[in-house]
């Protein structure tokens, strides 16, 4: 059993992550709609984080559970907020710069980046299975984006670059959240991320502030509410299950992203996406399978 998991409950973790994938896809759709109506990236991040801060603090205060936000690890929360803020810039940026399905598919490379980070940060030795998964994942990216044959409609080199930095940051943040989950509760982790990053976004807000119509404000409000729910679901899933396993549920977001892309943005996913996405998803599955095998071996060897 992974000792970094606060309360191992694998089936609950998978179910929570499944809901998180739906919430993230819905949030991406709302971000893209709001952006198409003139909402700036910084505005979207500010309102998302401010609403999360208010909703969590208010909800806990009303239920007499404000003490859940106490922490002895403020520096760790600050590091998570810094990484999370950067991650949000690139995640939202990818949604605004790329079609929703393509942005979502690039996000599936997070397990691949997690393997590379395990080498650099943890000094972990990687065998042929996981190296093969890394190669498979990036081969899938090439198939989806077709960089040598000319990027297909709606896809730009800048969008692809931003779309690849986003899952790299997701991998970084997953390590941070699993560490925080060993001593902190999900409410505290999400609250301090939002509370510490909101003032930073507010500093840039005067430079991008714009008037919006009621529909755009409704989209921004919906994005903030769904984003807050997604953040809670993501953090809770990492409390109950290993990132290597629960990330499998994230792949269902492609179905929702494709649905929204077709019915909301009138754009069907290209054939290259359906050819490359299985390679990227297969890489994640292989990594998850190998992680489970290694975890079982450590248990049997008494480590």
């Amino acid at each position: 059993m992974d000792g970094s998991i606060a309360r191992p409950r694998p089936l609950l973790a998978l179910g929570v992550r499944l809901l998180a994938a739906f919430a993230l896809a819905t949030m991406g759709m709302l971000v893209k709609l709001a952006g198409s109506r003139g909402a700036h990236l910084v505005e979207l991040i500010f309102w998302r984080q401010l609403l999360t801060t208010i909703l969590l603090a208010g909800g806990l205060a009303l239920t007499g559970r404000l003490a859940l936000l106490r922490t002895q690890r403020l520096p760790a929360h600050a590091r998570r907020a810094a990484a999370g803020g950067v991650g949000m810039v690139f995640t939202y940026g990818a949604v605004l710069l790329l079609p929703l399905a393509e942005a979502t598919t690039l996000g599936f490379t997070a397990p691949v980046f997690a393997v590379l980070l395990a080498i650099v940060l943890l000094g972990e030795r990687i065998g042929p299975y996981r190296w093969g998964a890394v190669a498979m994942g990036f081969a899938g990216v090439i198939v989806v984006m077709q960089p040598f044959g000319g990027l297909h409609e709606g896809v730009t080199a800048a969008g692809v670059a931003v779309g690849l930095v986003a899952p790299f940051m997701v991998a970084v943040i997953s390590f941070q959240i699993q560490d925080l989950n060993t001593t902190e509760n999900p409410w505290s982790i999400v609250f301090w991320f939002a509370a510490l990053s909101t003032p930073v976004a507010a500093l840039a807000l005067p430079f991008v502030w714009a008037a919006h119509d009621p529909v755009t404000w409704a989209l921004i409000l919906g994005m903030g509410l769904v984003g807050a729910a997604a953040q809670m679901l993501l953090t809770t899933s990492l409390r109950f299950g290993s990132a290597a396993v629960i990330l499998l549920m994230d792949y269902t977001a492609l179905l929702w992203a494709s649905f929204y892309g077709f019915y909301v943005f009138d754009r069907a996913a290209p054939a290259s996406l359906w050819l490359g996405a299985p390679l990227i998803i297969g890489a994640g599955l292989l990594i998850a399978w190998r992680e489970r095998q290694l975890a079982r071996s450590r248990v049997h060897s008494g480590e």
Side-chain angles (χ1 to χ4, degrees):
M1 187 65 68
D2 187 346
S4 67
I5 302 171
R7 298 173 60 191
R9 296 178 66 182
L11 290 179
L12 176 60
L14 291 173
V16 170
R17 195 73 176 201
L18 194 63
L19 290 174
F22 169 69
L24 285 173
T26 302
M27 184 189 71
M29 179 268 292
L30 293 171
V31 165
K32 198 167 186 67
L33 277 178
S36 70
R37 298 178 67 91
H40 192 277
L41 171 66
V42 173
E43 285 185 275
L44 295 172
I45 291 174
F46 170 77
W47 288 112
R48 149 79 188 273
Q49 297 301 77
L50 179 63
L51 286 170
T52 300
T53 304
I54 294 172
L55 288 171
L56 276 181
L60 291 174
L62 288 173
T63 56
R65 296 188 295 166
L66 206 55
L68 289 174
L69 301 183
R70 292 175 182 169
T71 181
Q72 300 295 321
R73 301 186 63 188
L74 200 57
H77 284 290
R79 290 191 294 272
R80 184 268 184 274
V86 173
M88 285 184 69
V89 169
F90 283 96
T91 298
Y92 281 31
V95 169
L96 294 174
L97 292 172
L98 292 170
L100 199 55
E102 279 84 343
T104 301
T105 301
L106 287 182
F108 295 155
T109 58
V112 174
F113 285 115
V115 169
L116 298 178
L117 283 172
I119 300 172
V120 176
L121 299 180
L122 306 178
E124 191 170 334
R125 295 180 61 184
I126 304 300
Y129 286 107
R130 286 183 287 179
W131 276 123
V134 170
M136 185 189 303
F138 286 114
V141 171
I142 291 173
V143 171
V144 170
M145 298 303 163
Q146 299 179 344
F148 307 116
L151 295 170
H152 50 267
E153 181 183 358
V155 176
T156 64
V160 173
V162 170
L164 285 173
V165 174
F168 170 79
M169 293 307 302
V170 169
V172 171
I173 294 162
S174 291
F175 283 105
Q176 292 178 317
I177 291 176
Q178 281 209 303
D179 173 60
L180 283 168
N181 264 324
T182 59
T183 59
E184 310 290 284
N185 63 75
W187 303 97
S188 174
I189 295 171
V190 174
F191 173 81
W192 287 110
F193 168 44
L196 293 173
S197 57
T198 297
V200 177
L203 293 175
L205 199 59
F207 300 99
V208 300
W209 184 275
H212 300 300
D213 59 29
V215 173
T216 304
W217 279 117
L219 291 171
I220 292 173
L221 176 62
M223 176 273 304
L225 294 174
V226 174
Q231 194 65 55
M232 277 302 305
L233 291 167
L234 286 169
T235 303
T236 302
S237 71
L238 288 167
R239 185 174 182 81
F240 295 118
S242 168
V245 176
I246 62 177
L247 282 174
L248 304 181
M249 296 298 100
D250 291 0
Y251 300 134
T252 60
L254 179 57
L255 301 176
W256 293 111
S258 299
F259 174 83
Y260 289 138
F262 185 76
Y263 287 101
V264 178
F265 300 102
D266 195 27
R267 182 186 185 276
S272 61
L273 184 138
W274 298 113
L275 292 173
L279 290 173
I280 298 173
I281 293 172
L285 292 172
L286 180 57
I287 290 168
W289 171 80
R290 188 56 181 163
E291 291 288 346
R292 293 194 67 180
Q293 293 293 110
L294 292 173
R296 288 174 179 173
S297 296
R298 285 192 289 269
V299 169
H300 293 154
S301 64
E303 293 184 18

